[in-house]
Amino acid sequence: FTDKFVTVFDPLDGSSNLDCNIPVGTIFRMYKEKEAMDNCEVLDEMEIEGSCLLNTLRPGSALVASGYCLYSSSCIFVFTVGAGTHGFTLDPATGHFILTHPDIQIPPRGRIYSFNEANRWLWDKPLQEYITALQTGDNEEGVRYSSRYVGSMVGDVHRTLLYGGIYGYPADDNYKDGKLRLLYEAAPMSFIIEQAGGLALSGLTRVMDVTPVDIHQRVPFLAGSYHDVMEMRSFYEASTDPVLIRRCLNRLEGRKTD
């Protein structure tokens, strides 16, 4: 390559699970350099050169590559350059990653939802109603879904990619903009999921369309099988709550929720 690229990453997603041997992973994203960064200097979190921010604070739609590495019973590297999503498994005997999951296609519908339900009554009302519909079978498919939740984003997203369904780390009353970081968690995972035929939203809006205004900006993340996510979105579309509608629009514009 002759172009220069900017990379941001989450070096160890799910690190709080390390002591109990739960799968963890690494997430990264790449885009072309917008302005020369030869003189870019990061002195500390509060003192960052403008050229660094210009290259870094860009929406997911500007991505040229994204990937994650899942450290579990095997080491799997999932990667996209905007032409499909592909999975590679580490062969310990040779030290090479072997293409084991070419052109991953997430099922258009799944039968699994993956959320931390301890926070359920703190979520947006439309999301509460959607999860209830999945549990009772009062949904578009007319079937009851199963619940699976690892608590490590890479692990939960990987299962969702292969088996379908919906994974979410939503906003709640304590974290009104969610907890996942847009720049190095939500956006790169959204790119991977959408390249596999899925969809990633923050509620009403597409995560890939949100332009970050801060390096550690947070965003709700609801992603997975296309039709499952669109059904979830229909509950938000049916809401007439002006506070919720304004909050969704503020996220698209990069504004923090009060």
Side-chain angles (χ1 to χ4, degrees), residues 52-74:
C52 300
L53 291 177
L54 180 65
N55 277 294
T56 304
L57 298 180
R58 298 166 68 187
S61 55
L63 285 169
V64 297
S66 184
Y68 65 78
C69 205
L70 173 63
Y71 314 119
S72 184
S73 56
S74 60

Side-chain angles (χ1 to χ4, degrees):
F1 294 107
T2 57
D3 294 313
K4 293 184 178 180
F5 297 88
V6 177
T7 302
V8 297
F9 61 95
D10 179 356
L12 197 59
D13 170 74
S15 57
S16 61
N17 289 320
L18 279 173
D19 287 346
C20 57
N21 207 32
I22 295 295
V24 295
T26 298
I27 307 168
F28 71 91
R29 62 182 274 177
M30 297 176 60
Y31 28 70
K32 289 183 180 179
E33 186 180 76
K34 194 172 184 179
E35 182 178 292
M37 296 183 67
D38 297 340
N39 298 318
C40 174
E41 185 176 3
V42 179
L43 302 177
D44 58 51
E45 189 172 326
M46 301 302 295
E47 199 170 346
I48 304 175
E49 294 287 335
S51 62
C52 300
L53 291 177
L54 180 65
N55 277 294
T56 304
L57 298 180
R58 298 166 68 187
S61 55
L63 285 169
V64 297
S66 184
Y68 65 78
C69 205
L70 173 63
Y71 314 119
S72 184
S73 56
S74 60
C75 181
I76 295 181
F77 175 57
V78 176
F79 183 61
T80 182
V81 291
T85 296
H86 308 278
F88 303 79
T89 302
L90 177 64
D91 180 355
T94 65
H96 296 155
F97 280 91
I98 310 299
L99 178 62
T100 52
H101 297 74
D103 194 22
I104 297 172
Q105 292 293 307
I106 184 170
R109 282 277 189 186
R111 293 291 184 269
I112 298 171
Y113 69 94
S114 182
F115 292 77
N116 181 359
E117 292 186 74
N119 298 322
R120 177 185 188 137
W121 307 117
L122 303 177
W123 296 342
D124 297 336
K125 188 69 173 177
L127 184 60
Q128 294 179 23
E129 294 171 348
Y130 171 66
I131 294 300
T132 298
L134 296 186
Q135 294 174 327
T136 62
D138 186 20
N139 52 64
E140 292 178 0
E141 289 292 280
V143 298
R144 296 176 60 192
Y145 281 45
S146 296
S147 175
R148 299 286 185 273
Y149 186 71
V150 175
S152 170
M153 185 189 192
V154 173
D156 282 312
V157 166
H158 188 70
R159 182 198 57 249
T160 304
L161 267 180
L162 298 183
Y163 298 160
I166 185 168
Y167 163 76
Y169 209 132
D172 60 39
D173 289 348
N174 296 324
Y175 296 93
K176 294 185 179 180
D177 288 312
K179 287 190 70 176
L180 294 180
R181 270 64 173 201
L182 170 63
L183 196 66
Y184 45 88
E185 292 176 316
M189 285 303 210
S190 297
F191 192 30
I192 291 168
I193 289 169
E194 292 195 0
Q195 283 297 310
L199 183 62
L201 303 177
S202 64
L204 275 174
T205 55
R206 185 169 168 254
V207 173
M208 293 279 283
D209 292 333
V210 179
T211 299
V213 296
D214 179 78
I215 289 176
H216 301 297
Q217 180 176 331
R218 300 173 190 267
V219 68
F221 184 79
L222 304 157
S225 296
Y226 183 85
H227 293 301
D228 284 318
V229 178
M230 287 300 291
E231 182 177 358
M232 179 277 303
R233 188 178 192 270
S234 71
F235 282 78
Y236 276 86
E237 291 175 326
S239 174
T240 58
D241 181 351
V243 175
L244 177 60
I245 294 170
R246 184 172 66 251
R247 188 186 305 159
C248 290
L249 292 175
N250 284 346
R251 288 171 189 152
L252 186 59
E253 297 172 2
R255 298 177 187 173
K256 288 186 177 180
T257 301
D258 296 329

